[in-house]
Amino acid sequence: MSEAIRERADRADVIDGEAVAAAVRETVSGAVDRLRSEGVTPGLATVLMSDDPASETYVRMKQRDCEDVGIESRHVELDTDAPQSELFETIDELNDDPAIDGILIQRPLTDGVDEPAALRRVDPEKDVDGFHPENVGRLVTGDPRFVPCTPLGIQRLLTEAGVEIPGADVVVIGRSELVGKPLANLLLGRGDDADATVTVCHSKTDDLTAHVSRADVVVVAAGVPELVTGEMLAEGSVVIDVGINAVGEGDDRELIGDVEYESASQVADAITPVPGGVGPMTRAMLLRNTVTAAARQAGVEIELD
């Protein structure tokens, strides 16, 4: 069993996203050393145009992650009242900068900015978030360049948990462009870590329990606190909880997922915690995508699997 799985008696094993992410970062660090030996220094640019405190925190964490594995990071922060043209000019400059291999536009952007247009502005070869329409299309057609970081991290967690993905009945709850849709396309692909039968459920799905109760794997990314309970799950299923919801006030404030953890852990075979499950994997896969971009652009072979 993977070292990332914490076994518990009479309850679901815990899929430790922190442990898996640490292994990914170690592999990325080795790839960075390989690139540096060839005179290539991977570079990631983050662009922030928001006063959202959570976004500011995420950017700082990503910068620290880059430093830990040897990726050069550059942060560009734009005033929230700056014209949209300034954002587009910044993206164009980063597209043309040979020192930058990956560009991340931190979302959400400030009100009044055409977010889809900003994402389309990024060079698809530097779109390490995998949100450019060209990269979305390549994922859908089975020829991915960059897979969005959260779905890629979820796929890795499932393999670390020993899930036989080919032929598995997977229910994804949530149809966002960030998680639900790309994850469904990723797991519908071909290979030892794909070839699943995937059902995507959402707010208009009739009888959610009927779908969840027959699933081998349930991935919940709905943004609804404790939407899925143990009573809904099939015995022995694997549960991936993508939700991070802050509830309560003051000293009672806590983070909970989209899954009611206590009841689900009595039924499932394995489950991700919140926090410490999917979140660390999203950040680790951003590093992986950035190093992949650098290697491709430099024409250097690296090993990341």
Side-chain angles (χ1 to χ4, degrees):
M1 179 171 286
S2 168
E3 294 180 0
I5 304 299
R6 301 201 303 270
E7 295 183 77
R8 300 186 299 184
D10 302 323
R11 298 184 69 188
D13 295 336
V14 178
I15 307 172
D16 188 344
E18 294 281 6
V20 182
V24 172
R25 289 194 299 270
E26 184 176 353
T27 301
V28 168
S29 182
V32 171
D33 290 342
R34 163 85 172 105
L35 287 169
R36 285 181 178 269
S37 72
E38 297 287 340
V40 178
T41 301
L44 173 68
T46 54
V47 179
L48 178 67
M49 193 178 188
S50 168
D51 54 10
D52 175 43
S55 292
E56 294 172 355
T57 298
Y58 294 152
V59 166
R60 286 195 299 270
M61 293 169 72
K62 289 164 185 173
Q63 289 176 303
R64 186 173 67 246
D65 290 342
C66 285
E67 183 179 356
D68 288 345
V69 300
I71 294 173
E72 293 289 333
S73 66
R74 183 187 306 174
H75 179 54
V76 181
E77 192 163 335
L78 303 175
D79 290 338
T80 55
D81 58 357
Q84 178 172 275
S85 60
E86 185 174 337
L87 171 62
F88 288 179
E89 289 168 7
T90 296
I91 296 171
D92 290 344
E93 291 170 3
L94 295 171
N95 283 337
D96 294 337
D97 190 338
I100 299 299
D101 301 294
I103 301 171
L104 182 145
I105 309 299
Q106 183 63 48
R107 302 162 74 181
L109 294 169
T110 190
D111 292 342
V113 171
D114 187 340
E115 191 169 281
L119 298 178
R120 289 195 300 269
R121 197 91 179 189
V122 176
D123 182 345
E125 296 281 354
K126 298 187 177 186
D127 169 40
V128 289
D129 253 343
F131 294 148
H132 189 285
E134 180 179 316
N135 288 327
V136 173
R138 291 186 62 151
L139 174 60
V140 171
T141 57
D143 182 30
R145 177 190 284 125
F146 295 114
V147 176
C149 303
T150 299
L152 191 60
I154 291 169
Q155 184 183 48
R156 178 66 178 268
L157 287 175
L158 290 173
T159 59
E160 289 290 336
V163 175
E164 291 289 335
I165 300 177
D169 191 336
V170 179
V171 168
V172 178
I173 305 176
R175 52 181 169 179
S176 73
E177 308 296 334
L178 292 126
V179 182
K181 288 180 181 178
L183 178 62
N185 281 297
L186 183 63
L187 296 182
L188 282 170
R190 299 181 184 276
D192 292 340
D193 55 2
D195 276 319
T197 299
V198 182
T199 300
V200 179
C201 298
H202 47 78
S203 60
K204 303 300 182 183
T205 297
D206 184 41
D207 196 356
L208 180 62
T209 299
H211 295 281
V212 172
S213 64
R214 61 173 170 73
D216 302 307
V217 177
V218 180
V219 181
V220 193
V224 179
E226 299 184 337
L227 172 67
V228 172
T229 65
E231 292 74 18
M232 301 168 67
L233 297 166
E235 190 79 32
S237 56
V238 174
V239 179
I240 305 294
D241 190 350
V242 186
I244 301 181
N245 308 283
V247 298
E249 299 291 339
D251 293 340
D252 295 327
R253 187 177 177 85
E254 62 176 335
L255 294 178
I256 64 174
D258 288 357
V259 176
E260 188 180 70
Y261 187 85
E262 287 304 316
S263 65
S265 66
Q266 302 295 326
V267 180
D269 183 59
I271 189 170
T272 56
V274 175
V278 174
M281 293 301 298
T282 298
R283 290 162 47 204
M285 290 307 181
L286 173 64
L287 302 176
R288 187 184 190 281
N289 280 353
T290 300
V291 170
T292 299
R296 286 174 179 162
Q297 292 169 47
V300 177
E301 294 283 339
I302 59 171
E303 182 61 52
L304 283 172
D305 295 318

